[in-house]
Amino acid sequence: MNTIFSKLRNLDAYPKINEDFYSRTLSGGVITLASSIVMFFLFISEFRFYLHSVTETKLVVDTSRGETLRINFDVTFPALACSILSLDAMDISGEQHLDVRHDIIKKRIDANGNVIEARQDGIGAPKIEKPLQRHGGRLEHNETYCGSCYGAETSDDHCCNSCEEVRDAYRRKGWGLSNPDMIDQCKREGFLQRIKDEEGEGCNVYGFLEVNKVAGNFHFAPGKSFQQSNVHIHDLLSFQKDSYNISHKINRLAFGEYFPGVLNPLDGVHWTQKTPSGMYQYFIKVVPTVYTDINGHAIQSNQVTFTEEHVSFLHFLTNVCAIVGGIFTVSGIVDSFIYHGQRVIKKKSEIGKFS
């Protein structure tokens, strides 16, 4: 048994020196104190890094088909009234969404950017008393209202009971509405008067769109749009204006759900129109994104693939050992260099005295 212990003792890589042979120096104490402080701060830094999650980024091929893309927007037009601003979306598959109104809020703003009124688009038309019936007479008591579409009816029982419905019927026919005052519904709803009342105002429009995940475009423009001979046209005749200022600021434009660290390059971008008429386009490439947090919850958005994860404990332990061992070794080298340097200088000074 003693032989075994003796062999194990010979394997000791850390031979012990009797304390009587230790030589403690001032420089060694200073180096020990400094290295201990550095070691402490590095340990705290590594420990904080271990407690916080890190994000891994991967680029993968998107193989999804038939999915939709959510576009979140918040755009301000300081010189374009809400009553004439419309939103359209279309894609290469041929699908079109003209004059989109659902899930959209418009805020009327004055010249200083203060909000005058906020309402969901398409809501707020005034109540109409005794409107003109399709057959020509006024609506009487206990009679069902069916307004004329002024030649744009699609069937014998097609009714247009508001100015918007007449405009929609005209749009579906590919017609422009040149004089709204000739339309009973528009006249009694004060269509042109509302446009005049909003003269000089701006509009902040925000909400979201659900579109196919294919190439396409969406745009804000004055006037209702319609298709005529496969050409996309906006009806501006009814507004009786010669020019429109489409200066704008993009407060937010995001694709998909929000996730930590998302970058929206067009946020805060603004453009000022310096000519009587104009059009401004942004060309965007959207990359599908999957963000997986530390709990495994996946957020479907649009950039690349991000995965949130913790550093393993073994990795943390390895780094701590590297910090302690590295500083201890470097401190020993520095201390040895200073100690032997002092001894050499001391010996030379003693030799000088004897000579």
Side-chain angles (χ1 to χ4, degrees), residues 82-102:
C82 289
S83 59
I84 65 176
L85 182 64
S86 66
L87 170 62
D88 301 332
M90 55 195 67
D91 59 47
I92 59 172
S93 69
E95 185 168 328
Q96 297 185 2
H97 302 274
L98 304 180
D99 195 22
V100 180
R101 298 187 179 192
H102 54 81

Side-chain angles (χ1 to χ4, degrees), residues 171-187:
R171 176 176 57 81
R172 284 190 290 267
K173 286 284 189 178
W175 300 346
L177 188 62
S178 59
N179 190 358
D181 273 346
M182 298 297 294
I183 307 299
D184 181 69
Q185 293 91 322
C186 297
K187 185 176 181 180

